[in-house]
Amino acid sequence: MKITREQREVGTSVLKVVVGEADYGEAVDKALREYKRKVNVPGFRPGMVPMGVVRKMYGKGVVAEQAYKLASNSVFEYLQKENIDYVGDVIPSEEQGDFDFENNTEHEFMFEIGEAPKIELELTKDDKLTYNKIKVEKEVFEAYKDNYLRRYGRLVDVEKVEKDEALTVTLDNGDMRIEGAYLGLISMSDEERKPFEGKKVGDTMEIDVNEVYKSASQRASILQVKEDELESINPKFTAEITQIRQFANPELNEEFFKMAFPDGKITSEAELDKYLNDEVEMEMGREADYLFTIRVRNFLMEKAALQMPEAFIKRWLYTINEGKFSMEDIEKDFDAFLKMFTWNYIQKHFIQTYELTVSPEEIEAEAKEFAKAQFAQYGMPSAPEEMLTNFAKQILENKEQAQKIYEKLYELKVVEYVKSKIKVTNKSVTSEEFAKLAQEM
């Protein structure tokens, strides 16, 4: 067996592997003996089929299989022995010629690799980045508090429509009359709400149910008909407002605190404000961390200035997706893919070079944070510890979700390492200023 490596375009090599009968012959004979033992041929008892018949039936395919297997394994052994790092995976070369496994005993296989660029990064305190901390402004806190309290709010009657109230209306188009129909303004845009603003109980207005109720299933439910009957219904209705209700925040009394914080840790508005302020700071801290991560990513990619074998990576993507995407499809999103692919490659370098690790305790803690956020989203900001633990366990049992948590934590490890080696200046900004900075990234 002979392996040679030839350079092609920048960052790409072709590996030629020549295998002969002396290399694969023993494996072929072994495979054919296994076929002989199992094959069922009319006129012969099981296991008694002559080897000549077996070889004629299966020899060509077995030679192809064993020769390719040997060549493929040899490539990986060669790359490891020669300490050649590559990106993506080894793929068949476009230069591969035809095979004649029936008549030839020597076969040449051609494989292609994308050579991994060498990373040379020296980080010092001369390298500078800014970490932007978001100030918790009063209006931001009040909006957060209002949004939090709305989870426990209730609908109360009001005199007129101001913005996002919930209306109860009677719909009438002459052919059908629907009483007690719900019309929620909160799901409408500001422009769609305008005709309703200022209306009072008893007022009437003309509406088109196709515009007010966007989905067919919603219209069918409101009009109390089947979806296939909607086309025959005149969508122009007169709507008489019979009730106007608005979400009102709950009173911050003992009943509220018992409902919102059954563990009894928060029992007053002052304690609630502190809790919510901590939540706002934590949320803004996550946003600040995310922006800083992007800065670190861009900084390292610019400093490393890696030349990835782009043409190879495109061919590799096409090959591994087995025709699911055309080369045109790959080209469309390639820039974004290459950026993330390069970032992952740089992260791998830091993780391996500096032996960055993530502990099981860190994984479990992150899964619990994810679980906590999920419960809070559904109105349970103080879920019991046992519930969080059980849900975190379920999250980690899901391979896809667990992988995302691992990737997030390893990325944080890389960012923390880089942060420890360079000079980072902390700067406080308003939420508006932060939004502009984020848009510029």
Side-chain angles (χ1 to χ4, degrees):
M1 183 168 54
K2 181 182 177 183
I3 301 179
T4 56
R5 179 184 176 195
E6 298 178 2
Q7 192 73 38
R8 291 295 185 265
E9 61 205 26
V10 177
T12 304
S13 293
V14 168
L15 299 175
K16 295 182 177 181
V17 185
V18 178
V19 294
E21 192 171 20
D23 302 309
Y24 60 77
E26 186 176 337
V28 168
D29 289 341
K30 182 179 178 182
L32 289 175
R33 286 196 297 271
E34 188 63 21
Y35 273 108
K36 173 181 168 63
R37 190 174 67 82
K38 295 180 179 179
V39 70
N40 186 6
V41 178
F44 296 97
R45 286 181 294 163
M48 300 302 292
V49 181
M51 181 55 78
V53 175
V54 175
R55 191 175 293 276
K56 187 174 182 180
M57 292 174 65
Y58 301 106
K60 181 179 176 180
V62 171
V63 169
E65 179 185 0
Q66 295 301 325
Y68 177 81
K69 183 179 178 181
L70 177 63
S72 178
N73 290 341
S74 298
V75 165
F76 288 106
E77 290 172 4
Y78 171 83
L79 292 172
Q80 187 175 17
K81 180 182 177 182
E82 298 296 322
N83 198 26
I84 299 171
D85 196 8
Y86 56 94
V87 297
D89 206 345
V90 178
I91 62 173
S93 172
E94 293 179 327
E95 300 177 24
Q96 178 67 64
D98 295 330
F99 295 101
D100 186 352
F101 293 110
E102 192 164 5
N103 299 305
N104 294 340
T105 58
E106 188 174 85
H107 311 284
E108 182 181 68
F109 294 87
M110 303 179 71
F111 301 92
E112 188 177 353
I113 62 166
E115 298 162 2
K118 188 175 181 180
I119 296 179
E120 295 179 344
L121 278 172
E122 183 180 351
L123 302 176
T124 71
K125 294 301 179 182
D126 290 332
D127 297 310
K128 302 173 183 178
L129 287 179
T130 301
Y131 181 96
N132 290 118
K133 183 178 180 181
I134 312 171
K135 300 174 185 174
V136 181
E137 300 157 287
K138 182 179 179 182
E139 56 269 27
V140 173
F141 172 78
E142 292 298 336
Y144 187 90
K145 181 177 180 180
D146 184 66
N147 185 58
Y148 177 85
L149 292 176
R150 282 174 74 94
R151 301 178 194 170
Y152 303 95
R154 65 196 187 285
L155 286 169
V156 296
D157 289 320
V158 294
E159 292 185 359
K160 67 176 183 179
V161 176
E162 292 187 1
K163 188 176 181 182
D164 57 1
E165 287 77 11
L167 310 185
T168 303
V169 299
T170 296
L171 299 174
D172 195 329
N173 68 354
D175 297 322
M176 60 192 309
R177 179 181 174 86
I178 308 295
E179 296 183 356
Y182 172 78
L183 203 160
L185 304 187
I186 193 169
S187 60
M188 295 183 181
S189 66
D190 290 342
E191 190 65 28
E192 291 171 327
R193 291 189 192 116
K194 280 185 179 179
F196 297 92
E197 291 176 1
K199 298 294 183 183
K200 299 180 179 179
V201 172
D203 287 350
T204 60
M205 57 190 300
E206 302 302 315
I207 66 169
D208 185 327
V209 293
N210 290 340
E211 296 176 0
V212 173
Y213 304 106
K214 301 296 185 184
S215 71
S217 59
Q218 188 182 29
R219 290 195 297 277
S221 176
I222 292 294
L223 299 178
Q224 300 169 25
V225 297
K226 295 178 180 179
E227 286 189 37
D228 57 10
E229 297 175 321
L230 289 172
E231 288 188 10
S232 63
I233 297 174
N234 177 11
K236 306 293 184 180
F237 280 80
T238 297
E240 179 186 355
I241 300 174
T242 57
Q243 189 177 31
I244 305 172
R245 291 180 297 170
Q246 185 182 69
F247 270 101
N249 289 341
E251 293 182 26
L252 302 184
N253 52 26
E254 184 179 355
E255 181 184 355
F256 163 76
F257 288 112
K258 283 185 177 180
M259 175 175 59
F261 302 96
D263 57 10
K265 290 182 180 179
I266 296 176
T267 59
S268 68
E269 185 170 3
E271 291 175 348
L272 174 64
D273 285 349
K274 183 181 183 310
Y275 167 79
L276 294 178
N277 190 75
D278 290 344
E279 289 290 305
V280 174
E281 287 188 343
M282 191 181 302
E283 188 172 309
M284 288 185 167
R286 283 193 289 266
E287 292 183 25
D289 288 344
Y290 179 68
L291 180 62
F292 186 70
T293 296
I294 295 176
R295 282 203 178 117
V296 170
R297 181 188 71 189
N298 293 344
F299 158 72
L300 290 177
M301 289 177 64
E302 183 177 349
K303 190 175 179 69
L306 301 180
Q307 293 296 313
M308 285 290 184
E310 296 185 20
F312 168 82
I313 293 173
K314 291 174 184 177
R315 292 194 292 272
W316 167 64
L317 287 173
Y318 180 80
T319 301
I320 63 172
N321 282 289
E322 299 179 334
K324 292 178 184 176
F325 302 105
S326 67
M327 287 302 291
E328 289 75 17
D329 293 330
I330 291 170
E331 286 283 359
K332 288 177 187 175
D333 301 317
F334 186 71
D335 287 346
F337 171 83
L338 183 64
K339 190 172 184 178
M340 189 53 61
F341 185 83
T342 305
W343 171 229
N344 288 338
Y345 180 70
I346 292 174
Q347 286 187 85
K348 179 183 174 183
H349 164 78
F350 276 91
I351 291 166
Q352 292 180 344
T353 304
Y354 303 107
E355 299 180 344
L356 306 181
T357 59
V358 173
S359 69
E361 291 77 18
E362 289 171 316
I363 292 293
E364 184 179 351
E366 183 62 28
K368 280 187 178 180
E369 283 299 314
F370 182 82
K372 183 179 177 182
Q374 291 289 303
F375 282 120
Q377 187 177 345
Y378 293 105
M380 291 182 65
S382 301
E385 183 66 20
E386 184 180 357
M387 190 178 291
L388 290 175
T389 300
N390 290 335
F391 191 37
K393 184 179 178 181
Q394 292 178 30
I395 292 169
L396 294 177
E397 286 173 351
N398 182 305
K399 289 184 179 179
E400 187 175 336
Q401 288 184 317
Q403 181 63 26
K404 287 180 180 178
I405 289 176
Y406 273 95
E407 289 174 359
K408 177 184 176 181
L409 289 177
Y410 270 111
E411 184 176 63
L412 288 175
K413 292 287 183 178
V414 172
V415 171
E416 287 170 6
Y417 177 83
V418 173
K419 193 175 181 179
S420 71
K421 296 297 180 181
I422 66 174
K423 183 178 180 180
V424 178
T425 303
N426 294 312
K427 182 180 178 182
S428 294
V429 294
T430 65
S431 54
E432 185 177 346
E433 290 170 332
F434 183 85
K436 288 180 181 178
L437 289 170
Q439 280 185 335
E440 294 169 0
M441 298 304 289

